[in-house]
Amino acid sequence: MGIVNIEEELHDQIRKASTVSYRSINAQAAFWIRIGMLCEMNPTLGFNEIVARELRAAGVGTEGPVPHGLKVAS
């Protein structure tokens, strides 16, 4: 694990986002870095497509009940 220097404003945004997403500040930063990397490697895919692909790769299925109003990616 290394140390990454980031701007104070970006750190503040990570802190705020981590509160909303129930992640630690480090986990939120890692999530954004990973999604950004995947977006750069797959420029034709949208965010939702990338997340759905990652969930499928992790073995998270779409079977079972879906909360009212939510759409399940196919």
Side-chain angles (χ1 to χ4, degrees):
M1 181 191 311
I3 296 175
V4 177
N5 291 317
I6 60 171
E7 298 172 1
E8 195 63 36
E9 183 179 330
L10 180 56
H11 185 271
D12 190 48
Q13 293 297 313
I14 294 169
R15 183 183 54 75
K16 290 175 183 177
S18 72
T19 301
V20 173
S21 62
Y22 300 100
R23 295 183 180 108
S24 69
I25 293 172
N26 286 342
Q28 183 65 41
F31 175 75
W32 279 357
I33 290 168
R34 179 153 176 79
I35 293 297
M37 183 179 71
L38 290 169
C39 286
E40 285 186 348
M41 292 172 25
N42 300 281
T44 62
L45 298 179
F47 172 78
N48 290 334
E49 293 168 307
I50 288 172
V51 171
R53 188 186 73 175
E54 292 298 300
L55 288 171
R56 281 192 303 274
V60 178
T62 57
E63 57 278 340
V66 176
H68 178 72
L70 291 181
K71 296 179 183 176
V72 177
S74 53

